[in-house]
Amino acid sequence: MSDRTMARQVLLFIRFLSLSSALGQVSYSIPEEMSKGSLVGNIAQDLGLDLKRLKSGKARIYTGDNAEYIELNKDRGVLLIKERIDREALCGQTTPCALHLQIILENPMGFYSITVEIIDVNDNAPSFEKGRINFRISESAILGSKFMLEPAIDSDVGINSLQSYTLNPSDNFNLKYKKQPGHGQNVEMVLQKPLDREKQQDVILVLTAVDGGDPQLSGSIEVHITVLDANDNAPIFSQSVYKATVTENALKDTIVSVVSATDPDEGINGKIEYSIANMQDNVRQLFDINKDNGQVSVVGIIDFEKSRNYEIRVQASDHGGLTDSCKIILDVLDVNDNKPLIDIVSKTSMIAENSPSDTVVTMINVQDADSGENGKVHCYINENIPFSLKLIKTNFFSLVTDTDLDRERESQYNISVTCADEGVPSLSSSVTLSLQISDVNDNAPVFEKSSYEAFVQENNSPGLSIFTVRARDADFNQNARVSYILEDSSVNGVPVSSLVSVSADSGVIHAVRSFDYEQIKDFHFRVKAQDGGSPPFSSNVSVKIIIQDQNDNAPQVLYPVQSGGFVVAEIVPRSADVGYLVTKVVAVDVDSGQNAWLSYKLQKATDRALFEVGLQNGEIRTVRQVTDKDAVKQRLTVVVEDNGQPSRSATVNVNVAVADSFPEVLSEFTDFTHTKEYNDNLTFYLVLALAVVSFLFIVSIIAILSVKCYRWRRERMFYKSGANLPVIPYYPPLYADVGGTGTLQHVYNYDVCRTTDSRQSDLKYARPCSESIISLDTSGKQTLTHAQREKLSFGDIDDQQKPPSADWRFTQNQRPGPSGAAATPEVAMGTGPWPNPPTEAEQLQALMAAANEVSEATNTLTPGTMGLSTRYSPQFTLQHVPDYRQNVYIPGSTATLTANPQQPQQALPPSQASPDEPEPPKAAQTPASKKKSAKKEKK
C-alpha cells in the first residue's frame, strides 16, 4: 500500500461526519481492514459523558444479533476496533456501508446511537469466474457483430471498483462496454475486421479488467474464438430490459417472466437457446429458464428480507454462435411472514417498593424484518398492573413504573409484553418479564387484638406460660421479624418485670413468680412489638392479668378466741327459752367467691339435743328449754367449712356454762383440760426440741455448778459480815398488769374468793357473779378478747396511777403470818386491809433467805400459792410473806385459778411447768422452804 493510500485512509479515519448531542447520536467514518485495537473515536468526549458515568452506568455496546466489530474502552472513553472489518463481507455492493451501534447506560438508563461508516479500501482485484471464455464465430460474421463477454467481478465499490477493460490483441475486435442499470456492466466484443477461418481458425485474446484504485489492480481472462462457417444473423431480443414481480415464498415452478428472441437465419443457424448468464449472485439457485421457450420460473425459496429485487441476465444463442442478451428486473413483493422479534436490551429483576414513578425497569428492542405495514410494530402489556410501556426511539421501548408499588399488596409481577405488526393477518410475539418487589420497612407490627386479658390461677409455679401475644408485620424477611419487649412499669410500687416476663421471639408471657390472689387481684402492663427494620417500627398493646382465686386458705375463727392457755365460757341461764342466742361463731375466709362462702355445722356436743348452729350465720341457739338436769359444763365443737373444691375447714370449741351463778360456773370449769393442737411437723419439732433440751441441759448443769460455787463463796462471805447487814424497809407491792401482755384490765365486783382446801377446786364467793362470760387461764396467763373485755363490766385498775384499793388491805391486827394475829373470818373473806410492813425480825429473816439470790431482780411465786401475781420492786422478794395468799383468788391480778394444786401457777406459758415438781405444802412455808421450792422450779 502506497503512502498516498495510507494518507487517504488516515484522513478518512479522523474525519468526523456528524454529531448531534441533543439527540444522543454520533457518527464516525473509518476505513476497512483496520487492525484490532485501532481507535475509532473518543465517544465520551463526543457525547459529553464523564468517564465515571461510563463506569457507574456499566456502559456497553448493543448490536443486536450482529457481530461485534467495535468495542468500548470505559477506562479511556474511546471506541476501538474489536474485530477486523471487511467491508465487502459486511455490506457487499451496498453503499454507503455503515455499522449502527447503541450504547446503553444504567442507573439511570441512557441510550445513545452511533453510526460508523466503513470506507472502502482497494483490497480486491477484478476477477473472472471462469478460467477462459469460448466463442464459436462464423467467418461470415458481418462487421459490427457483437459478442458478449463475461464481466469481471470486483468487490470494491466506488473508485476502487471495476473501471475499464482492455482486449489484446485488437486486430479483429474492438472492446465495447457500458454500465447497465443496477450493479452490472455489459462487456462486448465488436467485430471490426472479418474473420478468415482459412488464415486463422483459433483466435486467442486476453481480456483485462482494471479498477480505479491507487495503485490500480487488474485481472484477466483468455478469450478463445473458434471460427465457424458463415452464420450471418444473430438472435435479437424483443426487449433489452424486462420487468416483473414475484411474491416472496412463491411456490416452486411459478413462472415469473417470459423472454423472446428472434433469428432470421434458417435451419440450425436460426434455432435459439436461452440461458441465464448470471455468475456473480445466487440467481441460478432461485430461478431457471426454459432454454426452448424462454420461461423464467422459481426453483428456490424467495425471501424478501434477504433480497428485495433480483436482476436476471438472459442470453439467447443460435447454433452458429451468435448471441444476444437482455435483462429481467424482478421485484420481490413482501408477505407478512415474520413475527416481531423482541430483544431484552437491559432488565432489572428486582425493584424497591418505594421506587418513584417513571422508574425504568426494562428496556427492549423490537425488530420486524417485514416492510411497510407488515413491518410496523406496536407493543402493549397486560392490564391492571402499575407499569406502562413507552417508546423512546424507533423500535426501542422502556418499561417504567406507572404508579406507586406496594409489596404487601403484590410482591411479584409477571409482566407480559406483546408486540404485533400491522400486517394482514397480524403476527405477534410476546415475552414474560418476572419482576420482584423488594421490601421496604413501611409497616409497623399489628397485634391480633387491641387489648389482651388473661386469667391465671394463684399459687402458680414460677415460669408458668400464661398466654401468648401475637403481632403480624406485613413486611418481609428482616422487616417482618417481630420482637416482643415488656415495657417498664410498676404494679403497686413493684416493677412489672418481677411479676411477668415476655419471650422476645414467641411473645409467650411467663409468670416470674407465684401469684397470691389475696395480695393482688389483677394488674396491667404493656407489651411492645418491634420489627427488625431500619429504622424499626413498633406498636404496643395493653395486657391485663387477672388472678383467679384458689381455695388455699382455711376459714379463720375470729370469735370465740381459741388458745391453749385459757378457756372461754359462755353462760346460759337455766331459765333460757327455746332459741336463746348463746353466742355467735364469727369466722372469715380470705379467699373470694364460693371459696369464701362459709357454712357452720355442729360436729360434737355434750348434749346435741340442747344446741344448734345456724348454717349460714354461725349463731348458737338453744333448741329446747334448759332444765335443771342439764349439765353445767357443755362443750360444743363447731366446724366452719368453706365452699371451695376441695373444701377447707376450721374447728372451734365453744364452752357453755349452764348456770345461774358465777361460783357454779367456776366450780365446773376449773378442771377443764385444754386440747393441744399438733401440727403436721410434730416429729420434726420433737426432734428439734429434744436436741435443744439436751443442749440446754448440759449448759444448765455447767451453769448450776458455776452458780453453786459462786453462791457458796458468797454465803461464806455473808455469814462473816452478817453483823453489819443493813435493815431493808418493806414496801407493799402494787397490783398491776405485768408488761401489758393482755391480762385482765377489769376488777371483778367481789370482795374475796377462796377455797376451803388448797387441794380442792370448790370456791366460796361472797356475792354471785353477774356476767355471762369468764376467761379462765390455766397456763399462768389470763387473756380476754376485746369483746370479752366489753362484756366484763368490772372496775378498771390503773397500775401506774391508782394506788391499791383499800378493800384489799389488812389491818395490823389482821395480818397473817408470824408477825400478825391469827386470821379472822374478815381477813379470810378478803375484806380486811393489806398487812402492815414486817418487823425488824421479819426483815432479818427475809434478808437471810435472800442471801443466795442477790443477783436476781425478782422471784417467782411460791408453788403452793394459788392465783396471785403482783409486780415487785427489783430490790425485794416475797419470800418473807406468809402463805396467807394460799388459795386466794385476787381479781385484776395476772394469777390464774387451777384445780390441780400440784401444778405450780406462774405467769408463764404452761409448757414451762415441770410435772415432776413435788406437791407444795398446804400450810404456810418458811423462807427456807420457799427458797428450796424456787430452786426446784428453776431446774
Side-chain angles (χ1 to χ4, degrees):
M1 185 179 294
S2 65
D3 295 337
R4 180 181 177 185
T5 303
M6 180 62 69
R8 291 180 60 188
Q9 291 179 355
V10 171
L11 290 174
L12 292 172
F13 171 75
I14 64 174
R15 185 163 57 94
F16 182 79
L17 296 179
S18 63
L19 175 63
S20 176
S21 58
L23 298 177
Q25 298 179 352
V26 66
S27 299
Y28 298 96
S29 295
I30 62 172
E32 66 172 332
E33 303 295 340
M34 292 182 68
S35 61
K36 186 177 180 180
S38 299
L39 177 66
V40 176
N42 192 330
I43 189 65
Q45 179 179 349
D46 296 337
L47 291 178
L49 297 176
D50 188 20
L51 293 180
K52 294 182 180 180
R53 171 64 180 131
L54 294 178
K55 294 180 181 179
S56 64
K58 300 179 181 179
R60 59 190 177 89
I61 293 178
Y62 173 77
T63 61
D65 295 334
N66 300 325
E68 295 183 7
Y69 294 98
I70 307 296
E71 68 178 356
L72 174 63
N73 188 322
K74 291 183 285 187
D75 296 330
R76 298 168 53 193
V78 296
L79 296 177
L80 303 176
I81 299 297
K82 184 177 182 182
E83 297 291 339
R84 186 181 67 86
I85 303 175
D86 186 358
R87 194 206 67 79
E88 288 74 23
L90 182 63
C91 299
Q93 295 297 316
T94 304
T95 57
C97 181
L99 292 176
H100 298 282
L101 312 175
Q102 288 79 33
I103 292 184
I104 307 300
L105 295 176
E106 298 179 358
N107 298 323
M109 289 188 178
F111 180 88
Y112 302 92
S113 295
I114 301 173
T115 302
V116 180
E117 183 181 0
I118 310 301
I119 306 301
D120 183 53
V121 176
N122 191 22
D123 57 345
N124 293 283
S127 63
F128 296 88
E129 184 177 4
K130 295 181 180 181
R132 68 178 184 175
I133 302 173
N134 297 318
F135 285 100
R136 294 166 61 86
I137 304 175
S138 174
E139 64 180 21
S140 61
I142 62 174
L143 297 177
S145 298
K146 298 176 181 179
F147 300 94
M148 187 172 135
L149 300 176
E150 177 185 356
I153 301 172
D154 194 343
S155 299
D156 295 328
V157 295
I159 193 65
N160 296 323
S161 65
L162 181 63
Q163 298 295 323
S164 62
Y165 293 90
T166 59
L167 184 64
N168 291 310
S170 59
D171 296 337
N172 299 98
F173 298 91
N174 285 331
L175 189 63
K176 182 181 179 181
Y177 63 92
K178 62 179 178 179
K179 292 186 178 180
Q180 299 290 333
H183 299 287
Q185 289 182 343
N186 192 14
V187 182
E188 296 175 338
M189 289 187 310
V190 180
L191 183 63
Q192 65 179 357
K193 182 180 179 181
L195 296 175
D196 187 358
R197 186 188 65 81
E198 288 73 25
K199 291 182 177 181
Q200 189 178 4
Q201 185 176 358
D202 295 317
V203 179
I204 299 176
L205 305 175
V206 176
L207 178 64
T208 302
V210 181
D211 62 17
D214 185 16
Q216 289 184 338
L217 300 179
S218 63
S220 60
I221 188 174
E222 289 184 354
V223 180
H224 288 250
I225 300 174
T226 300
V227 180
L228 301 177
D229 205 14
N231 181 16
D232 30 83
N233 288 292
I236 299 173
F237 280 100
S238 60
Q239 293 177 240
S240 62
V241 177
Y242 291 84
K243 292 185 177 181
T245 60
V246 63
T247 59
E248 66 173 329
N249 300 326
L251 299 178
K252 288 183 179 183
D253 300 329
T254 300
I255 297 175
V256 297
S257 181
V258 177
V259 295
S260 175
T262 61
D263 192 334
D265 294 330
E266 294 181 354
I268 194 68
N269 293 326
K271 188 177 180 178
I272 300 174
E273 290 184 358
Y274 301 95
S275 63
I276 296 177
N278 293 66
M279 298 297 178
Q280 185 174 341
D281 47 29
N282 60 345
V283 171
R284 290 182 178 183
Q285 286 76 36
L286 299 177
F287 303 98
D288 191 17
I289 190 170
N290 190 314
K291 66 178 182 177
D292 296 327
N293 57 22
Q295 291 181 350
V296 179
S297 60
V298 177
V299 295
I301 299 176
I302 301 174
D303 190 355
F304 174 84
E305 287 70 43
K306 292 183 178 180
S307 180
R308 299 188 178 188
N309 54 68
Y310 294 94
E311 184 179 291
I312 306 173
R313 292 190 299 272
V314 180
Q315 178 177 299
S317 303
D318 59 16
H319 284 272
L322 300 178
T323 64
D324 192 10
S325 63
C326 71
K327 184 184 295 184
I328 302 175
I329 304 301
L330 184 61
D331 292 329
V332 180
L333 301 179
D334 184 38
V335 174
N336 190 25
D337 59 343
N338 291 281
K339 294 181 179 180
L341 298 178
I342 303 175
D343 188 16
I344 306 298
V345 177
S346 180
K347 181 178 70 173
T348 300
S349 60
M350 182 173 291
I351 185 173
E353 63 175 325
N354 62 345
S355 299
S357 298
D358 293 331
T359 300
V360 179
V361 176
T362 303
M363 187 176 294
I364 62 176
N365 173 252
V366 183
Q367 297 291 339
D368 195 321
D370 296 323
S371 64
E373 297 296 325
N374 296 331
K376 291 183 178 180
V377 179
H378 63 275
C379 300
Y380 57 90
I381 60 176
N382 46 319
E383 298 178 353
N384 299 324
I385 59 174
F387 300 94
S388 62
L389 202 61
K390 292 184 177 181
L391 178 64
I392 58 176
K393 189 183 176 182
T394 304
N395 299 331
F396 281 89
F397 297 86
S398 63
L399 181 66
V400 298
T401 57
D402 192 19
T403 58
D404 294 335
L405 303 177
D406 188 358
R407 191 208 66 84
E408 289 69 45
R409 184 175 64 247
E410 193 71 34
S411 62
Q412 179 180 359
Y413 290 95
N414 292 321
I415 307 171
S416 177
V417 179
T418 303
C419 296
D421 57 30
E422 296 183 4
V424 180
S426 176
L427 299 179
S428 64
S429 59
S430 62
V431 63
T432 300
L433 305 175
S434 180
L435 183 62
Q436 299 284 341
I437 309 301
S438 63
D439 184 50
V440 175
N441 190 27
D442 55 353
N443 290 278
V446 178
F447 284 94
E448 295 177 349
K449 298 180 180 179
S450 59
S451 63
Y452 289 88
E453 185 176 279
F455 298 86
V456 60
Q457 293 280 347
E458 67 171 330
N459 303 319
N460 59 287
S461 58
L464 173 69
S465 175
I466 302 176
F467 76 108
T468 303
V469 295
R470 293 191 184 277
R472 305 293 182 186
D473 196 312
D475 292 324
F476 179 70
N477 208 354
Q478 185 68 21
N479 294 330
R481 184 176 181 180
V482 179
S483 299
Y484 301 92
I485 303 170
L486 183 65
E487 291 190 352
D488 293 335
S489 61
S490 61
V491 178
N492 297 332
V494 177
V496 72
S497 58
S498 64
L499 301 178
V500 293
S501 66
V502 59
S503 175
D505 296 330
S506 61
V508 178
I509 295 179
H510 298 273
V512 174
R513 67 182 186 185
S514 179
F515 298 124
D516 188 357
Y517 176 83
E518 286 71 40
Q519 294 182 358
I520 181 172
K521 303 296 189 298
D522 58 67
F523 59 93
H524 296 76
F525 59 92
R526 299 187 72 83
V527 175
K528 180 172 70 175
Q530 180 174 291
D531 60 26
S534 180
F537 284 88
S538 63
S539 61
N540 51 34
V541 68
S542 175
V543 180
K544 179 180 182 181
I545 302 297
I546 300 175
I547 312 301
Q548 292 183 328
D549 182 48
Q550 283 187 333
N551 193 24
D552 57 343
N553 292 279
Q556 298 179 0
V557 179
L558 302 180
Y559 183 83
V561 178
Q562 298 293 299
S563 176
F566 62 86
V567 177
V568 177
E570 304 289 343
I571 298 177
V572 176
R574 296 187 180 274
S575 60
D577 295 331
V578 177
Y580 177 82
L581 178 60
V582 178
T583 185
K584 182 176 181 178
V585 177
V586 180
V588 294
D589 195 322
V590 295
D591 293 324
S592 66
Q594 66 178 8
N595 296 329
W597 297 350
L598 302 180
S599 59
Y600 303 84
K601 298 178 182 178
L602 184 62
Q603 186 182 39
K604 292 188 300 181
T606 305
D607 188 354
R608 297 185 66 90
L610 182 58
F611 302 99
E612 68 176 359
V613 179
L615 180 63
Q616 304 297 333
N617 53 24
E619 294 180 350
I620 301 177
R621 295 179 180 271
T622 57
V623 180
R624 59 177 175 80
Q625 183 72 37
V626 180
T627 64
D628 295 337
K629 297 180 179 180
D630 292 327
V632 174
K633 181 170 59 178
Q634 297 284 338
R635 189 184 186 94
L636 309 179
T637 301
V638 178
V639 176
V640 184
E641 189 177 50
D642 60 27
N643 198 34
Q645 295 295 331
S647 62
R648 293 176 177 267
S649 61
T651 303
V652 59
N653 294 321
V654 180
N655 299 311
V656 179
V658 179
D660 291 329
S661 62
F662 188 68
E664 185 180 0
V665 173
L666 294 179
S667 65
E668 290 294 335
F669 277 85
T670 52
D671 60 347
F672 250 120
T673 60
H674 298 274
T675 59
K676 298 181 180 180
E677 298 180 356
Y678 299 92
N679 55 28
D680 295 337
N681 299 324
L682 179 61
T683 304
F684 170 79
Y685 290 130
L686 288 176
V687 174
L688 180 62
L690 180 60
V692 172
V693 169
S694 301
F695 173 79
L696 294 177
F697 176 77
I698 296 173
V699 173
S700 300
I701 293 298
I702 297 174
I704 290 173
L705 293 177
S706 301
V707 171
K708 283 291 186 181
C709 295
Y710 174 79
R711 288 181 178 178
W712 179 75
R713 293 181 61 187
R714 292 295 300 270
E715 187 176 357
R716 291 174 58 88
M717 294 174 61
F718 174 80
Y719 281 114
K720 289 180 181 181
S721 58
N724 299 323
L725 289 176
V727 178
I728 300 175
Y730 173 78
Y731 299 95
L734 300 178
Y735 303 99
D737 182 7
V738 179
T741 58
T743 56
L744 289 175
Q745 298 295 326
H746 302 280
V747 179
Y748 294 101
N749 294 327
Y750 297 102
D751 291 335
V752 71
C753 299
R754 68 174 186 173
T755 62
T756 57
D757 191 299
S758 63
R759 295 182 180 273
Q760 294 182 0
S761 60
D762 295 335
L763 301 177
K764 300 299 182 179
Y765 299 91
R767 69 181 67 171
C769 297
S770 62
E771 297 297 320
S772 61
I773 297 177
I774 184 171
S775 175
L776 304 177
D777 191 347
T778 60
S779 62
K781 292 182 180 180
Q782 193 170 19
T783 306
L784 292 178
T785 64
H786 181 69
Q788 292 171 335
R789 293 177 182 178
E790 291 180 353
K791 289 185 178 182
L792 296 176
S793 57
F794 303 119
D796 186 9
I797 301 176
D798 190 346
D799 297 332
Q800 302 297 332
Q801 299 178 2
K802 296 180 181 181
S805 176
D807 294 339
W808 294 96
R809 297 183 179 273
F810 295 94
T811 61
Q812 182 67 27
N813 297 329
Q814 295 172 342
R815 180 178 55 187
S819 299
T824 63
E826 183 181 2
V827 174
M829 293 302 295
T831 58
W834 188 258
N836 291 329
T839 61
E840 294 180 0
E842 292 175 346
Q843 293 180 10
L844 180 60
Q845 184 181 5
L847 185 61
M848 293 177 63
N852 293 329
E853 311 215 16
V854 175
S855 63
E856 297 180 2
T858 59
N859 193 11
T860 60
L861 295 174
T862 304
T865 305
M866 186 71 174
L868 181 62
S869 176
T870 49
R871 178 178 296 172
Y872 304 98
S873 176
Q875 293 84 359
F876 305 102
T877 67
L878 294 179
Q879 293 186 5
H880 64 281
V881 181
D883 62 347
Y884 59 85
R885 299 163 297 174
Q886 184 175 356
N887 296 333
V888 177
Y889 171 76
I890 303 175
S893 70
T894 59
T896 307
L897 295 176
T898 181
N900 187 5
Q902 297 180 359
Q903 183 176 358
Q905 301 299 317
Q906 306 176 25
L908 297 173
S911 58
Q912 296 179 356
S914 176
D916 297 330
E917 292 182 0
E919 179 180 345
K922 299 179 183 180
Q925 298 179 359
T926 63
S929 64
K930 290 181 180 180
K931 173 182 176 183
K932 293 181 181 180
S933 177
K935 290 182 180 180
K936 291 182 181 181
E937 215 171 288
K938 288 182 180 181
K939 293 179 182 180

